[in-house]
């Protein structure tokens, strides 16, 4: 295999991986901290995609700029959902396991609701637009500008978030809550606010990912679920509850997907699942888990 | 315990439906995908046509029932099959057994059509399928005499495509297809034909339906310098391939893709009609065709729905409704058996031309391939049906 | 009347009622509309899926999301063998092959607990789906398959039989020492192990038995769909719905499971036909409301109403 081809596959894999990493980190915040395995995570991606599309079409707003506009709304929406549903659910649940079970169910209900609302608002027709689809020459290989930008933004958002997590007090509170909710509470962390924040941030990441993907792929009310599944695999890969782990998990999945795609296109998803299952059997705590 | 008795009672209450007298309204029912993966196709190709046709007919006073010497308005009942076959079958049976509809309209997609074909035959409801295209239908056609396929079939489409390639002097092709019944069938029809015409298939690869990135494959194809790239694709991949081929500067002399090229959104979504200039796709119909009512149908659709019909199955869907209306008029009543026999034997003028069924298949519309030229999807195959000469080679991406 | 005789009388009353109900079910096809039979077939199918799922997952709290895999195996048995073997044999085979697969799955996933087990089963189900799809696409070239049709009434009686067997099995298991063993595994697996329960054997065998019914149901229900492919047969929805239905109805009691399955199936049918454009929204809202306000499911409704009513009375 020529080094150029290898680089091609590698960078291509990284581009998808960057998106997967962003989505996985979002889910990890929701599951790792707030303990909600949010199967409607992908629907927030879908909403982000549609919002960006609508802004672009109706007002000609630059999709990258619209991140700033749609971001707060999606964050607030996620935050609100946690405060109204999941907070109450947590209060009512006799145990953490029971909460995980019933929040899983509730997030299903959420999935149905959001998808139907999207269907009613935007209709079932396939939508799409073209933005920055010029190509860029990168070390002799050719890549689409929008994919490179998506990777760049994913990394940027990841770095900002990392900084936020490590260097701010709120970030510290989140890390504490991720480790042990009760102890964190004892330490004075306003736990419900933090959980809501995490859920909102998770939704925000999904929304961003959606805006980025809308530049490259088709937009329909159904695009959410496949991303959710990849996010779940990435989160498990990195270790349930480990935020950095899910980021790495997402990148790895992107890379593996592209490599397998080169060998035999039909096997990518199967490869994902085999890795996923083997990991669960051998080291369920994931790559970075303890 | 009380609850369980109540539950038992529910099926009984659910089964009581008001029966409308045949002379008051003609009830036409359809279970079709309003949600789920098939909803995009259904919402573009069939649902607007169904609704528009019903409105047009009712504006005239309804369907002409000669035996009653009057027109009877139509009541359209639409159920959502959720893009799920089990639900679709159940709902069709509900429409037949409970709602006791007079006529049925088909759902969207090959799989759905396959599933309901035996059901409509069992209960004797004639149905013409505008979004089913599969050679498998030929195997079972004799078992489902009440089911007709009106859309062009892969065998003829494949032949037309290869004819065109031969005519244009294409020698080397790359053939990629979506790993689904559609992709497999089409490839199965096209590949041997290419061999017959001594056209070399340099690259033959499949890809999964949810693929997100085909750039590596497309780069390989670009390096192979083939004359033509043929993609047996579904809308998602059609759009992806178009985008990525443009990005990578993959510019074969002929670029053909499957489902999706004929969509009205296709000519806009990449930045304008000039971007898709020269791209060919499955099926072809445009308002310039010399069939009576074609242009008027197009204009009416645009006026009513603020969007164009697609350039392939939409017209076939509308044509099937025209046939239904004409058959009812010829028979003089809603006698489903007679209507079925009428459809099976007579010729009907429609927006896709004079349609006649042989053995359950439309023989008026054999292979049809279209090509975007200056914002219109011209018919470039079969030769006799051409509305414009094919542009070859395809102009470079703008 | 002392407590024992009262309990016994209750049991006798219930048995009489149930037998009456059963006889009603048997003669139903003669009196009701054909569509009601079709609807009942769907309801029976979901009851079997839900009750057999809850057979294992209920007491042990090991939430399996692999029901679709076993159901799908049944469907494919019908699709592949349906035209060569007699119907009842195919149904039995569908169940049996599911059983074998479940033994394998159980053996491999012994070490997994909680959410890990759940997502393992989900991943497995999806792996099977994509693998069958890949195989059909690349090896046999038959992505879609036809299934020999069977008339509704036959399907009805077979489903009724499967339903009866499943319910009897569930009831017997629950009230046997094995049922208690499962419950103790659910409470504390280590403790159960210490008392001498063969935890591994119990888990694997119960899991496998539960999937037998799923496979058998798949084999007979496939005849209703005439045309199947991997995404239809192994649709993840068949994994999620039994879970939803059990929790919705009340996972602790067999009656709750039956109730959940029946109500949700009926609800889906009604919503689908009365509100074609909104049913997903309504369905989702009902789900959320039930999860939020009825943590014990519908069977908890009586309790909740009593609590609420009692609260008011006190005021």
């Amino acid at each position: 295999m020529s080094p150029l081809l290898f680089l091609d596959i590698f960078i291509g894999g990284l581009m998808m991986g960057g998106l997967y990493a962003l989505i996985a980190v979002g889910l990890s915040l929701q599951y790792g901290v707030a303990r909600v395995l949010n199967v409607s995570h992908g629907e927030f991606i879908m909403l982000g995609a549609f919002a960006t599309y609508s802004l672009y079409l109706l007002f000609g707003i630059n999709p990258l700029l619209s991140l700033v506009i749609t971001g707060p709304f999606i964050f607030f929406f996620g935050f609100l959902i946690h405060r109204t549903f999941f907070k109450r659910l947590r209060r009512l649940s006799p145990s953490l396991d029971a909460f995980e079970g019933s929040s899983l169910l509730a997030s299903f209900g959420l999935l149905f609701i959001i998808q139907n609302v999207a269907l009613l608002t935007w209709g079932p027709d396939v939508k799409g637009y073209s933005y920055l689809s010029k190509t860029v020459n990168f070390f002799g290989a050719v890549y689409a500008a929008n994919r490179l930008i998506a990777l760049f933004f994913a990394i940027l958002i990841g770095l900002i978030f990392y900084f936020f997590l490590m260097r701010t007090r709120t970030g510290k509170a989140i890390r504490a809550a991720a480790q042990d909710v009760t102890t964190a509470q004892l330490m004075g962390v306003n736990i419900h606010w933090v959980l809501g924040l995490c859920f909102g941030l998770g939704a925000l990441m999904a929304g961003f990912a959606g805006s980025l993907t809308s530049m490259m792929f088709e937009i329909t009310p159904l695009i959410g679920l496949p991303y959710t599944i990849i996010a779940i695999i990435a989160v498990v890969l990195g270790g349930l509850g480990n935020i950095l782990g899910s980021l790495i998990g997402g990148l790895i999945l992107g890379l593996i997907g592209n490599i397998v795609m080169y060998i035999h296109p039909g096997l990518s998803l199967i490869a994902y699942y085999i890795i996923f299952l083997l990991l669960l059997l051998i080291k369920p705590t994931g790559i970075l888990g303890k | 315990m009380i609850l369980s008795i109540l539950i038992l009672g529910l099926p009984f209450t659910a089964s009581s439906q008001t029966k409308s007298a045949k002379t008051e309204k003609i009830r036409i029912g359809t279970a079709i995908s309003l949600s789920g993966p098939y909803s995009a196709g259904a919402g573009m190709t069939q649902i607007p046509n169904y609704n528009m046709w019903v409105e047009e007919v009712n504006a005239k006073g309804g369907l002409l029932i000669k035996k009653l010497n009057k027109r009877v308005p139509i009541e359209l009942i639409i159920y959502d099959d959720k893009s799920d076959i089990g639900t679709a079958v159940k709902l069709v049976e509900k429409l037949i057994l409970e709602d006791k509809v007079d006529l049925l309209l088909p759902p969207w997609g090959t799989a759905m059509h396959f599933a309901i074909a035996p059901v409509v035959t069992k209960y004797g409801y004639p149905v013409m399928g505008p979004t089913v295209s599969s050679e498998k239908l030929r195997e079972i056609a004799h078992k489902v005499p009440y089911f007709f396929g009106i859309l062009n079939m892969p065998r003829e489409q494949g032949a037309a495509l290869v004819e065109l390639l031969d005519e244009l002097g294409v020698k080397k092709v790359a053939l990629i297809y979506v790993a689904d019944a559609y992709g497999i069938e089409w490839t199965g029809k096209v590949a041997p034909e290419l061999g017959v015409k001594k056209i070399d298939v340099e690259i033959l690869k499949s890809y999964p339906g949810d693929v997100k990135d085909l750039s590596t494959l497309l780069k390989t194809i670009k390096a192979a310098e083939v004359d033509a790239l043929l993609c047996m694709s579904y809308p998602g991949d059609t759009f992806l391939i178009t985008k990525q081929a443009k990005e990578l500067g993959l510019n074969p002399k002929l670029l053909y893709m499957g489902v999706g090229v004929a969509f009205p959104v296709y000519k806009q979504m990449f930045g304008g009609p000039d971007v898709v200039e020269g791209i060919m796709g499955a099926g072809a119909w445009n308002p310039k065709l010399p069939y009576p009512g074609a242009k008027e149908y197009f204009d009416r659709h645009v006026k009513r729905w603020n969007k164009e019909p697609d350039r392939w199955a939409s017209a076939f869907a509308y044509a099937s409704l025209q046939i239904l209306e004409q058959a009812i008029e010829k028979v003089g009543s809603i006698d489903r058996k007679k209507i079925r026999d009428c459809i099976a034997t007579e010729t009907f003028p429609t927006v896709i031309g004079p349609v006649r069924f042989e053995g359950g298949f439309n023989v008026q519309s054999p292979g049809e391939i279209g090509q975007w030229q200056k914002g219109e999807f011209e018919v470039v195959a079969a030769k006799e049906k051409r509305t414009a000469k094919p542009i070859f080679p395809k102009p470079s991406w703008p | 009347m002392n407590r024992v005789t009262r309990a016994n009388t209750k049991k006798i009353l219930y048995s009489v009622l149930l037998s009456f109900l059963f006889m009603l079910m048997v003669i139903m096809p003669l009196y009701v509309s054909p569509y009601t039979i079709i609807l009942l077939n769907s309801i029976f199918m979901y009851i079997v899926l839900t009750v057999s799922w809850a057979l294992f997952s209920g007491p042990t709290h090991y939430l399996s999301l692999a029901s679709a895999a076993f159901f799908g195996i049944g469907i494919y048995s019908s699709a592949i063998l349906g035209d060569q073997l007699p119907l009842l044999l195919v149904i039995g085979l569908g169940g049996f092959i599911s059983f074998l697969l479940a033994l394998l799955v159980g053996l491999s996933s012994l070490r997994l607990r909680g959410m890990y087990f759940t997502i393992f089963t989900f991943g497995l189900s999806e792996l099977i789906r994509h693998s069958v799809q890949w195989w059909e696409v690349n090896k046999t070239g038959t992505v879609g398959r036809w299934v020999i049709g069977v008339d509704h009434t036959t399907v009805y009686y077979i489903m009724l039989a499967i339903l009866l067997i499943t319910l009897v099995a569930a009831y017997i298991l629950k009230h046997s020492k094995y049922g208690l063993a499962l419950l103790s595994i659910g409470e504390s697996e280590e403790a159960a192990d210490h008392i001498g329960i063969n935890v591994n054997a119990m888990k694997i065998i119960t899991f496998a038995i539960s999937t037998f019914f799923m496979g058998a149901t798949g084999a007979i229900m496939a005849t209703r769909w005439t045309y199947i492919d991997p995404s239809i047969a192994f649709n993840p929805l068949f994994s999620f719905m039994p879970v939803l239905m059990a929790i919705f109805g009340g996972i602790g009691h067999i009656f709750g499971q039956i109730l959940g399955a029946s109500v949700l199936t009926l609800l889906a049918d009604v919503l689908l036909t009365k509100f074609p454009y909104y049913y997903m929204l309504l369905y989702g809202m009902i789900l959320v409301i039930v999860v939020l306000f009825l943590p014990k499911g519908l069977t908890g409704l009586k309790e909740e109403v009593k609590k609420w009513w009692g609260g008011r009375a006190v005021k």
Side-chain angles (χ1 to χ4, degrees), chain B residues 249-329:
Chain B
L250 168 58
N251 207 55
K253 296 196 205 135
L254 188 146
L255 179 56
Y256 168 89
M257 284 170 283
V259 187
V261 182
F263 288 9
V265 64
Y266 188 77
K267 65 174 171 176
Q268 297 301 342
M269 67 191 288
F270 306 104
D274 48 315
V275 179
V276 299
E277 183 81 9
I279 296 182
M280 294 192 191
W285 180 90
N286 64 53
K288 298 197 311 196
L289 285 166
Y291 307 127
K295 176 142 191 3
E296 290 78 18
Y297 157 69
F298 183 83
D299 293 334
R300 277 202 312 272
H301 192 289
V302 172
K303 184 154 170 236
R304 175 69 181 88
W305 303 110
N306 225 344
K307 61 177 181 177
E308 300 178 355
D310 73 50
R311 294 298 201 286
W312 189 20
S314 273
F316 283 80
Y318 189 77
S320 70
L321 298 167
Q322 289 182 302
I323 296 173
L324 189 63
E325 188 180 354
Q326 291 171 33
I328 293 174
E329 250 176 73

Side-chain angles (χ1 to χ4, degrees), chain A residues 8 16 119 124-126 128-130 133 135 142-144 147 215-218 222 227 261-262 265-266 269, chain B residues 34-37 39-40 205-208 210-213 216 219 236 239-240 243-244 246-248 269-270 307:
Chain A
D8 195 63
M16 277 318 290
L119 197 63
D125 293 344
V126 176
Y129 64 95
S130 226
S133 62
T135 44
V142 170
Y143 300 103
R147 288 194 187 226
M215 295 192 295
M216 308 177 287
F217 305 120
E218 55 165 2
L222 300 166
Y227 287 117
M261 165 80 83
Y262 176 74
L269 218 50
Chain B
L34 300 174
S35 65
S39 60
K205 278 231 164 165
S206 76
Y207 56 84
D210 53 3
V211 67
K212 293 265 182 291
D213 185 0
T216 315
K219 283 180 193 172
F239 301 155
L240 185 68
K243 266 201 180 135
Q244 297 202 294
K246 175 169 181 285
E247 288 163 11
L248 299 171
M269 67 191 288
F270 306 104
K307 61 177 181 177

Side-chain angles (χ1 to χ4, degrees), chain B residues 308-355:
Chain B
E308 300 178 355
D310 73 50
R311 294 298 201 286
W312 189 20
S314 273
F316 283 80
Y318 189 77
S320 70
L321 298 167
Q322 289 182 302
I323 296 173
L324 189 63
E325 188 180 354
Q326 291 171 33
I328 293 174
E329 250 176 73
K330 287 196 179 160
V331 166
S333 72
I334 308 283
D335 181 326
R336 289 187 285 273
K337 170 133 192 2
K338 291 212 182 107
I339 294 174
R340 183 255 151 213
D341 293 335
C342 179
I343 296 175
T345 47
E346 310 234 3
T347 307
F348 302 88
T350 69
V351 295
I352 61 172
V355 173

